[in-house]
């Protein structure tokens, strides 16, 4: 039987936003407050946790795929210490202007791949992001609930729920999952 999932954007949700730039090395990756507890909670409720991130810095040549993979491997090691590691990690590393790219948000392609590989049920799933394209990606995949972490980015797309930051995420999830 397929499982429900919680899908997470990375920068600005799992880790503090690097602003206009990119996290190019592990030393610059800082978990957002409360996110480890929120991830662990999802797992205790039987939800798969999936990371879906845009990392155009690879496409731009600012970091290699190996460096991105290394950052994610170290992230998983830290999360595993708290039973909070992701079940799946998906990254679109294409340039935003690449006409051949089919995976860039708000395309649902990363979520569809995750659903195939992990047998996930979108109708019982959640999307958490800090940008319109995250919320739209979740909606395009057919997730039932979207949660926006508010950021400086102006937004036009309404999410089901909005939080000022990640501190209250676990408390909100406790009411929803
Ligand atoms: Mg983000």
């Amino acid at each position: 039987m397929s499982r429900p999932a919680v899908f997470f954007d990375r920068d600005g949700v799992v880790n503090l936003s690097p602003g206009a730039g990119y996290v190019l090395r592990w030393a610059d990756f800082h978990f957002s407050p409360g996110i480890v507890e929120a991830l662990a909670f999802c797992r205790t409720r039987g939800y798969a946790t999936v990371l879906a991130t845009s990392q155009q810095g690879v496409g731009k040549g600012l970091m290699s795929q190996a460096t991105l993979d290394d950052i994610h491997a170290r992230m998983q090691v830290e999360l595993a210490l708290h039973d909070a590691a992701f079940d799946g990690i998906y990254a679109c590393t294409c340039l935003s202007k690449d006409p051949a790219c089919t995976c860039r948000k708000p395309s649902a392609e990363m979520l569809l791949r995750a659903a195939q590989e992990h047998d996930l049920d979108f109708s019982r799933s959640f999307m958490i992001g800090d940008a319109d394209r995250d919320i739209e990606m979740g909606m395009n995949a057919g997730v039932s609930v979207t949660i926006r972490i508010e950021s400086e980015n102006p937004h036009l797309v309404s999410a089901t729920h909005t939080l000022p930051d990640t501190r209250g995420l676990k408390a909100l999830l406790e009411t929803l999952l």
Side-chain angles (χ1 to χ4, degrees):
M1 196 179 121
S2 50
R3 276 214 285 170
V6 184
F7 298 103
F8 291 79
D9 170 48
R10 202 194 79 178
D11 297 338
V13 176
V14 174
N15 55 290
L16 299 175
S17 172
Y22 303 91
V23 174
L24 298 175
R25 53 194 188 126
W26 174 244
D28 295 329
F29 185 100
H30 306 290
F31 285 108
S32 302
I35 196 69
V36 177
E37 294 82 357
L39 279 163
F41 174 74
C42 293
R43 294 174 61 82
T44 65
R45 287 289 166 98
Y47 283 71
T49 55
V50 173
L51 184 68
T53 180
S54 300
Q55 294 299 326
Q56 193 186 187
V58 175
K60 286 181 173 176
L62 299 173
M63 70 179 139
S64 66
Q65 180 70 50
T67 296
L68 179 63
D69 291 344
D70 177 66
I71 290 169
H72 288 162
R74 290 168 186 252
M75 174 190 75
Q76 288 285 72
V77 167
E78 287 293 316
L79 290 175
L81 296 174
H82 306 276
D83 290 322
F86 285 102
D87 294 294
I89 296 176
Y90 298 84
C92 167
T93 57
C94 306
L95 290 172
S96 61
K97 295 190 171 72
D98 180 353
C101 170
T102 56
C103 54
R104 192 167 175 82
K105 301 172 186 179
S107 161
E109 187 175 296
M110 287 192 280
L111 304 194
L112 292 168
R113 271 176 50 208
Q116 270 186 350
E117 293 173 12
H118 299 274
D119 192 17
L120 305 176
D121 175 3
F122 286 129
S123 71
R124 293 185 292 144
S125 294
F126 296 74
M127 176 75 223
I128 305 171
D130 70 336
D132 275 351
R133 60 181 178 274
D134 302 316
I135 305 305
E136 289 174 313
M137 173 175 65
M139 289 163 51
N140 287 339
V143 306
S144 59
V145 176
T146 53
I147 300 170
R148 179 196 297 280
I149 306 301
E150 284 192 307
S151 66
E152 302 301 309
N153 308 326
H155 55 264
L156 302 169
V157 180
S158 295
T160 321
H161 301 271
T162 300
L163 287 173
D165 57 49
T166 51
R167 277 170 242 270
L169 184 56
K170 182 187 175 213
L172 175 62
L173 292 171
E174 282 173 343
T175 69
L176 298 173
L177 267 55

